[in-house]
Amino acid sequence: VTSKIIETRIYDGQKPGTSGLRKAVRIFMQEHYTENFIQAILQALGEQLLGSTLVVGGDGRYYGKEVVRKIIRIAAANGVKKLIVGQNGILSTPAVSTIIRKYKTLGGIVLTASHNPGGPDADFGIKFNCENGGPAPDNVTNKIYEITKVLKNYKIIPDIAIDIDKIHNTTIQVDGNPFTVEIIDSVDDYVEHMKNIFDFSSIKILLQGSNDRPAFKVLINAMNGVTGPYVKRIFSHELGVTDSSIVNATPLEDFGGLHPDPNLTYAKDLVNAIKNGPYDFGAAFDGDGDRNMILGKNAFFVTPSDSLAVLAANLNSIPYFKKTGIKGYARSMPTGAAVDRVAAKTGVKLYEVPTGWKYFGNLMDAGHLSLCGEESFGTGSDHIREKDGIWACLAWLSVVANLGKSVEDILLNHWQTYGRNFFTRYDYENCDSEAANKMMHHIESEIQKPEFMGSKLTSGSKTYVVKLGDNYSYVDPIDGSQASKQGLRILFQDGSRIIYRLSGTGSSGATIRVYVDSYEDDPASLNKDAQEVLKPLVTIALEISKLHEFTGRDAPTYFL
Ligand code: VG1
Ligand code: CO
């Protein structure tokens, strides 16, 4: 077959955000819209593209299969030699990262809008991951965006029809060169990787019970997202968890109407089931499988910032890290600083990076980083270059198996040792974009006034002294690349922090995020409710920002 050149029109706004291009499905369905973006990704790869291999898969959401077919046709026409495609177009984000690395491909295209709802009236997304398996860094996504602004045509072979629902290989001749599509099992490579990282037999003993310990009862909720088949294979087939303890484990194109985001608001059914049931542990994952929420008995909630710190303090429970050693820890800037305490006490280097997993990749590639996380329910390690929900769950079960304690006791002991960073995030979704921008400008000018530094901010009986206010910027220690305007920060002398950011993953309007982090080491405070402890700082954050005046909002859409 031979390739065709199709004249196209330019679409504005194909700028990848924190994690790829995310828009409403109907926007992606416009004539040439998706084709343009795929062509731009391929073109951004330059000469390496010719003869390359790429991985393709996604979270199973509506429109995904259609886009897999488009990618096959466009990649063939652009000189790609081989595509490795997940069966039915299904690959979790961590699985894509695993497969890129295992087969040393030039990269992969992930079809996901992560935790955003799916279906004809909801969202779709396309993300490019590089040969290290991680989300493309800013210089690559900028290049893709620049190409979308001048693209005149794209190359396609319209009549390739390959069945992506069954595992097989097809090779066809394109302009005289072989082009292969390999449809692979979506879970095999990932499961093999997990079995090399963790001690499955000790986790199995924990879950099944033994002479000296009753079975540790878990409830796993895949939220109708992509993790279903992975959860079934790992927890049911490998670890023997009963089917009734695995729920929402069939990927659905609209996630069954769920908002597949594992947090206390959107995974309410998991919270209630754990509160009312016999379970010792609960876990949920997002649409594309890179986020996780961990709950203990009675739905004791482990904040993602604490989860990172606890895992950091207990990496010796996981065989993988016994082999690799602990090279360093990292968190995104707005993430609660609990892991900093572990790093300080254990003498391990800690890195702070901007929001988004792409910033961890260089540190990992250079061998400086073993474990990292974000407050947005993302936890992961250098076993791949994405955050990894199922990995985090297995990591927690390894720690529980090793320590022989409940989740709650593990946290209490951790706080007794390191003190506690209380953390909360308020999200205001779908705000007017102009109002949100004005508010950010207002905050920035307030916190950059010279007299702001050293000023005292008071709410109730609490007074905080400002150490610094700035717009966070980051210089990558490996390649020197810079990322500026990554969030407005107010740092206080006692280590407390207030951070304001606009989301880079929404598909419409603006989402304002306000993050508050405060450290306490008074033993009497350790058990307190985070909202209660943080109330004064939250009040201060809302006052400085004039959030209500700018946006008209009295309350957040939700808080974490
Ligand atoms: C959000 C989170 C960020 C995360 C990103 C992608 O970005 O805050 O921590 O890395 O989503 O996660 P933003 O720009 O909306 O704050 V995922 O699971 O959506 O790929
Ligand atoms: Co995700």
Side-chain angles (χ1 to χ4, degrees):
V1 295
T2 52
S3 53
K4 276 191 183 161
I5 293 179
I6 306 287
E7 301 303 315
T8 187
R9 52 157 292 201
I10 304 253
Y11 284 96
D12 292 333
Q14 291 197 330
K15 186 174 169 57
T18 312
S19 201
L21 182 68
R22 284 185 198 169
K23 302 276 178 199
V25 166
R26 61 188 148 70
I27 292 187
F28 276 99
M29 281 182 154
Q30 298 169 95
E31 189 178 30
H32 306 317
Y33 187 95
T34 297
E35 288 84 351
N36 281 7
F37 193 68
I38 297 165
Q39 179 71 36
I41 290 175
L42 298 180
Q43 236 162 271
L45 294 170
E47 286 184 352
Q48 309 171 80
L49 185 69
L50 294 178
S52 67
T53 299
L54 296 172
V55 179
V56 182
D59 60 17
R61 70 178 56 228
Y62 181 81
Y63 201 49
K65 282 186 162 190
E66 189 59 39
V67 177
V68 171
R69 292 185 199 109
K70 288 183 197 290
I71 292 172
I72 292 173
R73 294 179 188 131
I74 296 171
N78 277 276
V80 171
K81 188 165 147 227
K82 183 174 172 185
L83 291 180
I84 300 176
V85 180
Q87 187 181 14
N88 294 307
I90 294 258
L91 286 176
S92 73
T93 291
V96 171
S97 192
T98 302
I99 294 165
I100 292 172
R101 295 172 66 75
K102 178 170 173 185
Y103 299 106
K104 301 190 166 41
T105 75
L106 181 62
I109 301 177
V110 201
L111 307 174
T112 173
S114 185
H115 52 285
N116 294 19
D121 298 318
D123 287 349
F124 192 74
I126 304 180
K127 176 166 92 156
F128 182 70
N129 281 28
C130 294
E131 58 191 327
N132 72 347
D138 292 330
N139 66 319
V140 176
T141 54
N142 289 340
K143 201 163 167 189
I144 294 170
Y145 179 48
E146 292 307 318
I147 295 171
T148 66
K149 292 196 280 190
V150 294
L151 196 74
K152 296 211 163 51
N153 51 51
Y154 57 86
K155 287 191 219 157
I156 192 163
I157 303 177
D159 43 2
I160 299 183
I162 288 174
D163 180 3
I164 61 169
D165 294 346
K166 64 173 207 286
I167 294 171
H168 72 295
N169 266 340
T170 308
T171 298
I172 54 174
Q173 297 296 318
V174 174
D175 301 326
N177 296 312
F179 168 71
T180 301
V181 176
E182 184 181 356
I183 310 294
I184 61 163
D185 180 272
S186 306
V187 293
D188 282 350
D189 295 302
Y190 181 79
V191 173
E192 182 195 272
H193 199 28
M194 290 303 113
K195 287 173 85 170
N196 285 329
I197 292 169
F198 296 104
D199 178 356
F200 271 45
S201 62
S202 78
I203 298 176
K204 190 168 184 174
I205 293 170
L206 172 79
L207 301 182
Q208 306 281 305
S210 57
N211 289 339
D212 44 328
R213 213 151 71 179
F216 188 74
K217 288 209 175 65
V218 300
L219 182 62
I220 312 284
N221 189 332
M223 298 192 88
N224 302 320
V226 75
T227 54
Y230 300 83
V231 163
K232 282 183 189 159
R233 183 84 72 84
I234 291 174
F235 292 94
S236 163
H237 297 193
E238 296 287 342
L239 298 171
V241 170
T242 54
D243 289 348
S244 62
S245 293
I246 293 174
V247 296
N248 296 335
T250 302
L252 299 176
E253 289 199 331
D254 65 350
F255 305 115
L258 288 184
H259 197 136
D261 199 359
N263 60 42
L264 296 176
T265 304
Y266 293 130
K268 197 85 206 152
D269 58 340
L270 178 75
V271 176
N272 290 339
I274 306 262
K275 253 187 200 148
N276 305 322
Y279 304 104
D280 299 298
F281 182 93
F285 312 112
D286 74 336
D288 64 326
D290 55 359
R291 297 185 177 203
N292 75 92
M293 177 169 74
I294 302 293
L295 300 173
K297 206 172 177 59
N298 301 317
F300 178 88
F301 173 54
V302 182
T303 71
S305 305
D306 278 339
S307 175
L308 174 63
V310 169
L311 293 182
N314 290 286
L315 284 186
N316 62 350
S317 307
I318 301 169
Y320 174 87
F321 297 103
K322 286 192 191 144
K323 273 181 262 160
T324 64
I326 300 175
K327 298 163 180 167
Y329 304 131
R331 59 166 171 80
S332 65
M333 181 273 283
T335 300
V339 67
D340 302 32
R341 319 269 158 202
V342 179
K345 211 166 204 151
T346 54
V348 174
K349 177 115 173 102
L350 178 98
Y351 298 88
E352 183 184 63
V353 308
T355 294
W357 213 260
K358 56 190 167 195
Y359 297 105
F360 295 123
N362 273 349
L363 290 165
M364 289 183 176
D365 291 347
H368 294 320
L369 181 53
S370 293
L371 176 81
C372 56
E374 296 189 280
E375 47 66 41
S376 54
F377 296 81
T379 325
S381 90
D382 65 348
H383 69 291
I384 53 172
R385 296 293 180 271
E386 287 277 7
K387 53 191 188 271
D388 189 343
I390 290 177
W391 175 92
C393 178
L394 293 170
W396 261 95
L397 292 173
S398 305
V399 172
V400 171
N402 186 33
L403 298 181
K405 290 180 188 156
S406 71
V407 172
E408 183 166 357
D409 284 345
I410 291 173
L411 261 299
L412 289 176
N413 292 345
H414 186 89
W415 294 331
Q416 279 153 8
T417 308
Y418 297 97
R420 178 172 176 189
N421 275 77
F422 288 87
F423 179 83
T424 191
R425 184 181 102 194
Y426 281 45
D427 275 14
Y428 300 81
E429 289 186 347
N430 239 312
C431 293
D432 178 67
S433 295
E434 206 187 308
N437 285 328
K438 277 190 181 149
M439 184 198 81
M440 293 298 279
H441 282 128
H442 159 76
I443 302 169
E444 187 160 9
S445 66
E446 286 301 307
I447 67 176
Q448 288 186 343
K449 286 181 181 156
E451 65 268 26
F452 187 65
M453 221 195 268
S455 65
K456 291 191 174 117
L457 303 178
T458 300
S459 170
S461 60
K462 283 274 204 176
T463 294
Y464 297 88
V465 186
V466 175
K467 188 169 141 199
L468 176 80
D470 72 355
N471 197 335
Y472 177 63
S473 63
Y474 174 71
V475 178
D476 185 297
I478 309 303
D479 66 12
S481 59
Q482 293 193 17
S484 57
K485 302 196 164 102
Q486 297 294 316
L488 301 173
R489 305 190 296 177
I490 304 174
L491 309 184
F492 297 99
Q493 270 173 7
D494 73 345
S496 300
R497 303 182 301 156
I498 297 173
I499 291 136
Y500 308 88
R501 264 187 80 244
L502 296 183
S503 156
T505 57
S507 58
S508 64
T511 294
I512 300 168
R513 304 199 199 283
V514 182
Y515 312 78
V516 175
D517 177 22
S518 178
Y519 178 68
E520 299 274 342
D521 57 3
D522 170 10
S525 302
L526 297 180
N527 276 325
K528 283 192 181 153
D529 176 58
Q531 293 304 322
E532 186 193 318
V533 172
L534 295 174
K535 200 157 188 241
L537 265 182
V538 170
T539 307
I540 290 170
L542 296 178
E543 276 170 6
I544 295 178
S545 63
K546 297 209 163 97
L547 189 136
H548 173 72
E549 284 91 321
F550 281 103
T551 66
R553 300 293 174 92
D554 293 318
T557 315
Y558 58 86
F559 57 83
L560 307 174

